[in-house]
Amino acid sequence: MIQLLAGLALWSGAHALPRVAPGLHARLGRAARGVVAVTVLLGLWLMIRGYGAQDAAPRFAPAPWAWHLNNLMVLVAVYLFAASGMKTRAAAWLRHPQLLAVALWGGAHLLVNTHWAAGLLFGGLAVWAVAEMALLDARAQIAVAPAPAPVGREVAALLGAVAVFILIALVHGWIGPNPFGAMS
């Protein structure tokens, strides 16, 4: 449990560094990117190790519909990442599409993972994403939305998100629990 909590703390602290300690971030200069990247990767490694070491006994059975809602929320989260990278209309409309994606992803996983480590990991990352959005909004001025992206970019982001979602589901089923629940 300590590794999982330490990983969440490193992940959160590294991402918040520019906003929480702007002086330190400025003094580090270009090296700040490397420090943040190494700290994030170390936090991710600790979260994975800590999560894997915990008892995965479910505390209750998720509702049968929870798997479907989980998958829909994860698909939307993957789309939000694609939309952000491709600068689509959705990305222009939403202030923080990637952080919203993490919050959706975490919430989705809380629907179907009912053990304590899942609550810490997925709940912790969802709370981090919401807190990060609040920190960004508190310091940033409201920006003027850019011109809408072409419709072709929207379609490409959606098709790319579906392809990546399928790949994630296949890999997830290979290394972990089936993302589509118990198949009969």
Side-chain angles (χ1 to χ4, degrees):
M1 193 67 70
I2 298 297
Q3 284 181 330
L4 181 54
L5 291 171
L8 281 167
L10 286 174
W11 172 277
S12 301
H15 280 95
L17 180 68
R19 284 162 295 290
V20 175
L24 173 61
H25 192 263
R27 281 193 307 275
L28 288 172
R30 291 190 65 142
R33 284 186 164 188
V35 169
V36 168
V38 168
T39 307
V40 164
L41 288 174
L42 178 60
L44 184 61
W45 180 74
L46 285 170
M47 284 187 279
I48 292 168
R49 284 186 49 90
Y51 183 78
Q54 296 306 307
D55 174 24
R59 302 298 177 220
F60 60 90
W65 52 263
W67 293 101
H68 304 297
L69 183 56
N70 167 68
N71 290 327
L72 178 61
M73 290 171 69
V74 170
L75 177 60
V76 171
V78 172
Y79 167 74
L80 289 174
F81 259 93
S84 176
M86 296 180 74
K87 309 281 190 260
T88 66
R89 293 171 194 233
W93 184 63
L94 299 168
R95 284 181 63 93
H96 311 291
Q98 289 184 354
L99 290 169
L100 182 56
V102 172
L104 273 173
W105 171 85
H109 281 73
L110 287 173
L111 289 172
V112 295
N113 293 285
T114 62
H115 49 91
W116 295 114
L120 274 175
L121 177 63
F122 301 120
L125 287 172
V127 167
W128 162 78
V130 171
E132 192 75 16
M133 284 188 272
L135 276 172
L136 287 168
D137 286 344
R139 298 183 58 90
Q141 297 181 6
I142 295 178
V144 176
V151 174
R153 196 177 296 171
E154 299 290 337
V155 172
L158 184 58
L159 292 175
V162 169
V164 169
F165 175 77
I166 290 169
L167 181 64
I168 289 170
L170 290 172
V171 171
H172 201 291
W174 178 52
I175 64 171
N178 185 336
F180 299 106
M183 304 298 255
S184 50

